[in-house]
């Protein structure tokens, strides 16, 4: 098991502000890893691939896992605090949410590649929720995803800290002060 206490996952359902927080952390000079699912969707759409959440969900899940492991390994040996827009347990939550029996390599990866025990979770926030070319879920699906993610991270032994619904800078300040005080 690799436990990298300098790697922090920021998670939650779609459209709750994770990417905006990651962008603010980057502006402040922090090492950050973008969400792999969005990148996969963009790549698959551009190449006419079918590893998409609305096409071949199993193939999409395996690509998310592969990319998530790659980004974890790439960052685990640096000494920098690093923030991930979603972690490997998000892929397990997604598999469970869509009724896909998690492949053994996914359950193994969740155990093998661990983030800091503190995980920041953003609650569903209807006032800021928007769909786009990569995010096609309804707000109810965002709520269901949030619940699945929360259950998965809890089941994996992480301590979830809910980030309050505040402005972006205040949310980032909350995350950073929580890290400093632990």
């Amino acid at each position: 098991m690799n436990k990298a206490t300098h790697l922090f996952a920021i998670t939650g359902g779609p459209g709750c502000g994770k990417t905006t927080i990651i962008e603010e952390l980057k502006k402040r000079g922090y090492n950050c890893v973008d969400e792999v699912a969005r990148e996969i969707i963009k790549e698959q759409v551009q190449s006419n691939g079918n590893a998409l959440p609305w096409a071949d969900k199993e193939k999409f899940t395996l690509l998310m896992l592969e990319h998530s492991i790659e980004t974890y390994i790439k960052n685990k040996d640096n000494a920098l605090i690093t923030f991930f827009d979603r972690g490997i347990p998000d892929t397990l939550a997604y598999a469970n949410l869509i009724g896909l029996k998690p492949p053994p390599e996914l359950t193994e990866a969740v155990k093998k590649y661990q983030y800091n025990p503190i995980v920041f979770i953003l609650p569903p926030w209807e006032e800021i929720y928007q769909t786009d070319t990569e995010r096609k879920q309804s707000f109810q699906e965002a709520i269901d995803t949030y619940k699945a993610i929360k259950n998965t991270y809890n089941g994996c032994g992480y301590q979830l800290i809910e980030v309050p619904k505040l402005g972006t800078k205040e949310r980032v300040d909350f995350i950073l002060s929580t890290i400093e005080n632990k």
Side-chain angles (χ1 to χ4, degrees), residues 12 41 72 98 116 120 133-134 155:
I41 292 169
Y72 181 98
I98 64 169
N116 187 289
F120 295 96
T133 53
E134 289 94 39

Side-chain angles (χ1 to χ4, degrees), residues 13-15 18-19 23 34-47 51-55 57 60 64 85-86 94 129-138 141-142 145:
K18 293 178 306 301
T19 303
E23 292 306 315
D34 293 330
E35 182 181 5
V36 298
R38 277 188 170 269
E39 293 306 311
I40 292 166
I41 292 169
K42 286 177 188 172
E43 290 169 7
Q44 289 295 304
V45 167
Q46 286 175 353
S47 68
L52 294 160
W54 52 86
K57 293 177 181 183
F60 177 71
M64 279 197 307
D85 188 340
R86 300 198 179 280
Y94 174 73
Y129 186 79
Q130 296 176 21
T131 58
D132 60 29
T133 53
E134 289 94 39
R135 181 187 308 126
K136 299 178 183 287
Q137 302 97 326
S138 68
E141 288 172 307
T145 303

Side-chain angles (χ1 to χ4, degrees), residues 55-156:
D56 190 336
K57 293 177 181 183
E58 187 170 355
K59 195 172 177 184
F60 177 71
T61 302
L62 291 172
L63 274 178
M64 279 197 307
L65 175 60
E66 180 184 308
H67 287 242
S68 295
I69 290 171
E70 284 172 13
T71 60
Y72 181 98
I73 290 170
K74 182 179 172 190
N75 288 279
K76 76 176 178 68
D77 292 329
N78 72 38
L80 303 171
I81 289 177
T82 301
F83 294 96
F84 286 75
D85 188 340
R86 300 198 179 280
I88 294 169
D90 283 83
T91 305
L92 178 59
Y94 174 73
N96 290 331
L97 185 67
I98 64 169
L100 179 67
K101 184 178 189 287
E105 59 265 37
L106 175 52
T107 52
E108 241 347 273
V110 168
K111 293 175 194 166
K112 184 175 180 181
Y113 304 108
Q114 295 192 2
Y115 303 85
N116 187 289
I118 294 171
V119 170
F120 295 96
I121 188 166
L122 282 65
W125 192 353
E126 194 164 16
E127 289 76 19
I128 67 168
Y129 186 79
Q130 296 176 21
T131 58
D132 60 29
T133 53
E134 289 94 39
R135 181 187 308 126
K136 299 178 183 287
Q137 302 97 326
S138 68
F139 185 67
Q140 182 58 53
E141 288 172 307
I143 293 169
D144 295 342
T145 303
Y146 167 81
K147 290 176 184 175
I149 289 168
K150 190 172 182 179
N151 290 338
T152 300
Y153 274 95
N154 279 328
C156 292

